[in-house]
Amino acid sequence: NATEIISKFIPMRAGKPTRRLSQCKQLTFRQRSEPSIDQQRRRRSQIPAPVSHPSTSSRWSTLVTSNNSDLPKTIQFYPSSDQQSPSRSRKSHLLLTTIAILAIIGSSIAVYLQHAQLTSVRQELQITNQHRQYMEKSRSTLLTQLANREKSLDQYRHTHEQVTKVNHDMSESMRKLQQDHTEAVKELERLRAVEKRVSWSEGRWEKYVEGVQERSKRIVLEKFGKGPHHVELQVQLPSSSSSQETTEFQTIKIELAPLDMMPHSVHTFLEQVHQGSWDGTAFDVHAGHVLMASSSSSSPNTEEDHHHQAPTPTVMIPEYNARYPHDKYTIAFPGSQTPSSPSQDFYINLQPNTIHHSPRIETLEKGTGGRNTEVYVEGEPCFGKIVDEDSRRVVDRMDGLGVGERGLLKERVVIKSARIVGR
């Protein structure tokens, strides 16, 4: 190879040429090389030749030193027996130098190419490492996103199940609502029909009430006068322990309501007093807030009196007027009795009872169906009041009497007589 060839002509140290680059340049590009060679030849001819070794086919020239030349020591090669020409030796030397330079250049190029290849491989490895790190980071990110997507998907599934359930419930509710709506429409139609009948009945009832009130007012004006009308009750109170009398009679004066307010109730009470329906009756019930008198508490003396006794007039309509309220010391008919009742009661209000005896809606106790029932209660007719103080004191004494079981007075207050005064 080129290295072995160069080592034969150029001294080597550790496999490298010993000459400096500047020396090689002087040897290669110096001027007037031919005369220098001739001079060296002449000088060499004057020096005795060394003894050659018989086994060698070539020899090395001795080192020639010129005092007049600045050139460094030069190694000269001469062929052996054939004694080649100097031009041919020079050409061989140039060829070997060229080959050495080309070998060095080739080696440098090979080294450079290997270095460049290694650098490229190193860069590719770095890029590959970066790509690997990026891929690992991307993989971690994708795994995190995948876990989040799975979590979101689970939430979506749960939400979807809930929405599906809600939609099912809403469908059931809508179906029930449609059924209820259909039933409500039918019930509304039925109620409208009932409302029409009620309106028609109310119209007839109002006309009936107006007719009854107008008839009662006309009879009172014809029979008892324009008024105001007054009634006196003579009552027999139980005797006190300090009094020696066994009986004590007191008078209760009642002023009846104007005919424009309570015509039917005033007419009924006047007819009862006129027929003597309250003679011999008694106040026998103390309900706490009222003191009640009953016409059924009297009894006829003989069977003949029973046959000749006229039926007691009763209230035919629940006449109520908010302008004549149930105040204390007022007189009223109970609203629980009907026109077909055999007797008619009345009571004295011992306290303001408007809230208890006015028109109202009451809730009954739960029945078999477990539901409360609401009913409308008509107002009770209040038709008179006690105005003088003496009569009120009598009522206060009656209020203080003893009460037994079920609100019955232990000693009844007998109504000896009732009569119309001031006509």
Side-chain angles (χ1 to χ4, degrees):
N1 55 20
T3 306
E4 293 178 354
I5 295 172
I6 292 170
S7 64
K8 292 180 180 181
F9 300 97
I10 301 174
M12 303 293 289
R13 180 181 296 172
K16 296 182 180 180
T18 57
R19 290 187 181 275
R20 293 182 301 222
L21 181 61
S22 60
Q23 295 176 347
C24 294
K25 288 181 179 180
Q26 290 178 2
L27 289 174
T28 306
F29 300 103
R30 66 184 176 180
Q31 298 178 357
R32 299 178 65 185
S33 59
E34 291 296 332
S36 299
I37 295 173
D38 295 337
Q39 291 177 3
Q40 290 178 2
R41 288 177 179 176
R42 285 193 299 270
R43 291 173 184 172
R44 189 170 53 250
S45 64
Q46 297 177 2
I47 300 172
V51 179
S52 60
H53 196 276
S55 63
T56 60
S57 62
S58 63
R59 60 186 178 84
W60 290 89
S61 64
T62 59
L63 294 176
V64 180
T65 304
S66 177
N67 295 331
N68 296 326
S69 178
D70 295 333
L71 296 174
K73 294 181 179 181
T74 306
I75 300 174
Q76 297 292 332
F77 173 76
Y78 292 97
S80 58
S81 60
D82 54 356
Q83 297 292 324
Q84 295 179 0
S85 65
S87 61
R88 186 174 181 179
S89 175
R90 184 172 56 83
K91 289 180 181 179
S92 300
H93 179 73
L94 291 176
L95 179 61
L96 293 175
T97 304
T98 303
I99 292 173
I101 292 172
L102 291 176
I104 292 172
I105 292 173
S107 301
S108 300
I109 292 174
V111 171
Y112 175 77
L113 291 176
Q114 290 180 358
H115 181 268
Q117 186 177 3
L118 290 175
T119 304
S120 176
V121 171
R122 187 181 295 109
Q123 291 178 355
E124 290 180 359
L125 288 175
Q126 292 178 355
I127 294 173
T128 303
N129 189 23
Q130 292 178 357
H131 287 174
R132 183 181 63 80
Q133 293 178 356
Y134 177 75
M135 292 296 292
E136 289 180 355
K137 186 177 180 179
S138 300
R139 178 177 175 275
S140 177
T141 304
L142 289 175
L143 289 176
T144 304
Q145 292 179 355
L146 181 60
N148 294 332
R149 294 294 187 276
E150 290 179 354
K151 186 176 180 180
S152 301
L153 182 60
D154 292 339
Q155 293 179 354
Y156 172 76
R157 289 173 180 172
H158 180 67
T159 305
H160 178 69
E161 292 176 358
Q162 291 182 344
V163 170
T164 304
K165 184 178 179 181
V166 170
N167 289 336
H168 178 71
D169 295 340
M170 290 182 63
S171 300
E172 292 294 329
S173 300
M174 288 296 296
R175 186 178 60 81
K176 292 180 180 179
L177 286 175
Q178 289 177 355
Q179 293 179 356
D180 295 341
H181 176 70
T182 304
E183 294 178 358
V185 170
K186 295 180 180 179
E187 184 68 17
L188 182 61
E189 293 177 355
R190 188 184 68 82
L191 290 176
R192 285 176 179 173
V194 172
E195 183 180 6
K196 291 181 180 179
R197 292 195 297 268
V198 168
S199 299
W200 180 71
S201 299
E202 286 181 351
R204 293 185 60 187
W205 173 254
E206 289 177 357
K207 291 181 180 180
Y208 173 74
V209 170
E210 291 176 358
V212 171
Q213 289 179 336
E214 186 66 26
R215 177 175 174 275
S216 298
K217 183 178 180 180
R218 184 175 65 252
I219 293 174
V220 170
L221 290 176
E222 293 175 355
K223 192 172 182 179
F224 303 105
K226 184 177 180 180
H229 305 90
H230 296 83
V231 174
E232 287 186 357
L233 301 179
Q234 190 175 13
V235 296
Q236 180 180 357
L237 297 177
S239 60
S240 59
S241 58
S242 60
S243 176
Q244 296 180 357
E245 299 180 357
T246 57
T247 58
E248 184 178 358
F249 295 97
Q250 299 291 338
T251 301
I252 299 176
K253 296 181 180 180
I254 302 173
E255 179 181 324
L256 301 182
L259 288 177
D260 295 335
M261 293 185 180
M262 307 293 293
H264 179 61
S265 299
V266 170
H267 171 236
T268 301
F269 190 69
L270 289 175
E271 287 290 347
Q272 291 174 352
V273 173
H274 179 70
Q275 294 181 10
S277 301
W278 295 110
D279 296 342
T281 60
F283 291 94
D284 55 356
V285 178
H286 193 303
H289 62 293
V290 296
L291 189 65
M292 185 173 292
S294 176
S295 60
S296 61
S297 59
S298 63
S299 57
N301 295 328
T302 61
E303 185 177 354
E304 183 179 358
D305 294 336
H306 177 74
H307 290 292
H308 291 285
Q309 185 178 8
T312 303
T314 57
V315 176
M316 300 177 64
I317 57 174
E319 190 177 38
Y320 177 83
N321 195 324
R323 295 181 298 170
Y324 207 85
H326 287 256
D327 294 332
K328 188 177 181 179
Y329 301 116
T330 55
I331 310 299
F333 287 129
S336 58
Q337 292 177 319
T338 60
S340 60
S341 299
S343 62
Q344 178 72 63
D345 302 337
F346 77 92
Y347 58 85
I348 301 175
N349 286 301
L350 301 177
Q351 63 183 26
N353 290 320
T354 301
I355 190 173
H356 301 291
H357 299 156
S358 59
R360 62 199 179 277
I361 296 177
E362 292 184 352
T363 302
L364 302 180
E365 295 181 357
K366 294 181 180 180
T368 57
R371 295 182 179 180
N372 294 334
T373 303
E374 293 183 348
V375 295
Y376 177 78
V377 180
E378 295 283 355
E380 299 178 358
C382 182
F383 59 89
K385 58 184 175 180
I386 301 172
V387 293
D388 64 302
E389 293 297 329
D390 294 336
S391 299
R392 290 185 176 183
R393 280 194 291 268
V394 174
V395 173
D396 293 338
R397 288 182 60 185
M398 295 166 61
D399 187 17
L401 296 176
V403 181
E405 295 180 358
R406 295 182 298 178
L408 298 176
L409 291 175
K410 293 181 179 180
E411 296 181 88
R412 301 191 311 163
V413 178
V414 179
I415 301 175
K416 184 179 179 181
S417 62
R419 59 190 180 94
I420 301 173
V421 295
R423 288 193 294 177

